[in-house]
Amino acid sequence: VQLQQALRRCATQKSGTTAPPTPSRRNSPKEVQPTKRSNILNQEILEEYWSSHNFNILVDVIDIFKEEAPDQLEDLRLAIESGDTEKVYFISHQLKSSSLNFGRTQFSELCEKLEYMGKSNDLDSAPATFSKIEKRFLQLMEALDDLQAKHNSE
């Protein structure tokens, strides 16, 4: 969260543009369902916010995400297995928030759903949701690798 706030301040000061749109908040994130139209990466956010002069910052954000997210995902799996709703809430919130740098994706939507499960102390469907998160995570990591490779070739 602090990283996102700092990046938004930096980008706004440097470019005079606004931060990426904040996803609409729902009263009940439990209703969040991945949509068929969601892409692995939100191209609109990447193109509008992470313009060419901010793209180097995005590359740094990707590096941080790729470094931290795998450990967070493993911690989340362990929290679900142990029934630790507080950790499930906290870790899924972190993953959701950091992935929103790439726009609202199926990954972030699933993390939000799991975040709500932790907050409401109901992990009954958490293992199934986590399984979906793992699949989307692998797709997201591949998409981020492709994005970095594209940037490095330019």
Side-chain angles (χ1 to χ4, degrees), residues 4 8 20-21 23 25 45 95-105 108:
Q4 284 181 321
R8 286 182 184 160
R25 293 287 172 211
I45 295 294
L95 285 165
K96 175 199 71 176
S97 298
S98 60
S99 68
L100 285 172
N101 284 302
F102 318 120
R104 190 155 193 78
T105 63
S108 63

Side-chain angles (χ1 to χ4, degrees), residues 101-118:
N101 284 302
F102 318 120
R104 190 155 193 78
T105 63
Q106 290 179 353
F107 178 80
S108 63
E109 290 172 354
L110 288 164
C111 288
E112 184 174 27
K113 186 175 180 179
L114 198 53
E115 176 186 14
Y116 181 76
M117 289 178 202

